[in-house]
Every structure is written in C-alpha cells, then in structure tokens.
Amino acid sequence: MYTYSSDKEILDRIKVDDQIAFKLLFDHYWESLFAAALKRIKSQDQSKDIVQDVLADIWNRRHSLEIKTSLKSYLHTAVKYHVIKLYQQNRIEVEFDVSGTFQHTDTDNNLAFNELFDVLEIALEKLPERQQVIFRMSRYEGLNSQEIAEKLNLSEQTIFNNLHKTLSTLRTELKDYSPMVVLFLIVFFE
C-alpha cells in the first residue's frame, strides 16, 4: 500500500502520472466533495457528475496545475464553481422557501452568475482585510467559526461578530440587486 505524507506530495506524484496517488486523492476527497455538491443542488446524479468533473480536471491538468491554497480548499471551491456553472447553464433563478432551502425555476431575466460574483468580490474588497479573510475562510473554504478562530488565533465570538458585520455590509452594498440574488450569493457559500 502506497502512502503519502501530504497533499503536496500526492499532487507532486500526480504531476508525474502516478495513478495510485490520484486514486488516493480520489478516495480521500470523494465523499466530502459529493456532500458539498449535494448540499447545494439536492441531486445525487448531478452531484456525482460534478465531483467526477472536478477530479477529472485535476488529472487532465496535472502537468500544469498550480494550487496556491490547500488542496481541500481548492477542490471544494471547484465544486462550488461547478454548481454555479450548472445554475448558469440552466439559467436558473433561485427562490428560497421559509425553511431556507432553495428551489429553482427557469427564467430568462437572470443576471449572469459571473457578473454577480464579480459584484460580490468588489463589495468584499471594500471591507477591512480581516473581515475579507474571515468571510472567505467561512464561505469559500467552508470552515466553521471554531476552525477560523483557531487558524487566526481569535475568539469564536470575534469570528461570529465579523461575519455578522460583513453580511450586513454586503446586504447594504448589494441593495440594488434582487433580494433573492443577494440572499443566494450570501447563503450559497455556507
């Protein structure tokens, strides 16, 4: 049985066509990536397809792939962007029900998701650096308050307060957009 001490070592082995290293990566991340996709789209088949696409992309780009974040963050972000791409391709408008889950309906009046995320990023750039970092760790990397607090050596209450303040600011910054769009942008990255 082959073992590797780190994700970096696995990636290095994949870059030299090591199929066993790729299988280890696949086996290690499949379940958490599938759960992340399923949480957002509620379709097992589409979730499986997304995870397979993300992992196949790693293999297909193995010779040129440069990952500057942790592998886990990279893969989870890739899943999120594949979900967004799915919504964009289907031109879906998100509607939230009272429980906070979302349903989707077709519409021709949707803004492009890329534009929406550009708007979100511009709004984030206006925030203090610490708020940006905490928001991105929470929404993009999927870390909970305790994990963020440990990484940044801050209290969980400080993380909670920063996230609350950031979300409030983002709602104000994005007030000209549909409330459902704003809610989707902010909640989608839970």
Side-chain angles (χ1 to χ4, degrees):
M1 175 77 182
Y2 291 91
T3 59
Y4 299 99
S5 60
S6 69
D7 284 345
K8 182 183 177 342
E9 189 177 349
I10 289 175
L11 283 174
D12 289 344
R13 295 301 311 157
I14 290 170
K15 285 181 180 186
V16 294
D17 302 330
D18 185 336
Q19 293 179 1
I20 294 171
F22 181 74
K23 173 103 171 76
L24 286 172
L25 177 135
F26 187 95
D27 291 344
H28 183 73
Y29 286 105
W30 170 263
E31 193 172 314
S32 68
L33 296 175
F34 174 74
L38 187 61
K39 175 181 174 185
R40 288 169 174 80
I41 59 174
K42 312 296 185 219
S43 164
Q44 288 191 2
D45 290 338
Q46 287 180 323
S47 296
K48 287 176 185 176
D49 290 345
I50 286 172
V51 175
Q52 287 175 339
D53 288 347
V54 167
L55 294 172
D57 185 57
I58 295 286
W59 181 256
N60 293 335
R61 296 187 316 124
R62 67 189 174 278
H63 299 295
S64 62
L65 189 63
E66 293 296 324
I67 298 178
K68 297 182 186 337
T69 63
S70 74
L71 181 58
K72 177 182 177 184
S73 296
Y74 179 87
L75 292 171
H76 280 270
T77 301
V79 165
K80 289 174 188 177
Y81 281 110
H82 273 73
V83 170
I84 292 164
K85 185 178 175 183
L86 176 69
Y87 279 104
Q88 187 177 8
Q89 287 170 345
N90 293 326
R91 300 193 61 81
I92 293 171
E93 178 177 310
V94 177
E95 295 180 2
F96 291 85
D97 64 20
V98 243
S99 70
T101 59
F102 61 86
Q103 304 167 350
H104 41 76
T105 57
D106 292 328
T107 182
D108 290 330
N109 298 324
N110 261 2
L111 294 171
F113 277 96
N114 288 339
E115 177 188 340
L116 292 174
F117 283 97
D118 289 344
V119 169
L120 177 63
E121 282 299 312
I122 290 167
L124 277 174
E125 292 296 326
K126 294 178 182 178
L127 298 172
E129 185 176 344
R130 181 165 78 172
Q131 281 181 259
Q132 291 179 41
V133 167
I134 291 171
F135 182 85
R136 286 187 174 106
M137 289 175 83
S138 170
R139 297 316 200 253
Y140 294 176
E141 296 179 32
L143 300 177
N144 64 35
S145 295
Q146 181 182 359
E147 292 168 326
I148 297 169
E150 288 171 6
K151 284 187 178 233
L152 298 179
N153 200 23
L154 297 169
S155 73
E156 281 188 66
Q157 188 62 45
T158 300
I159 302 304
F160 176 80
N161 292 345
N162 270 270
L163 283 172
H164 179 74
K165 192 175 194 178
T166 300
L167 293 173
S168 177
T169 302
L170 289 175
R171 282 186 199 97
T172 302
E173 282 289 320
L174 302 172
K175 71 180 180 292
D176 295 334
Y177 290 87
S178 157
M180 287 300 122
V181 168
V182 174
L183 189 57
F184 175 72
L185 283 173
I186 293 170
V187 173
F188 185 78
F189 283 109
E190 287 189 282

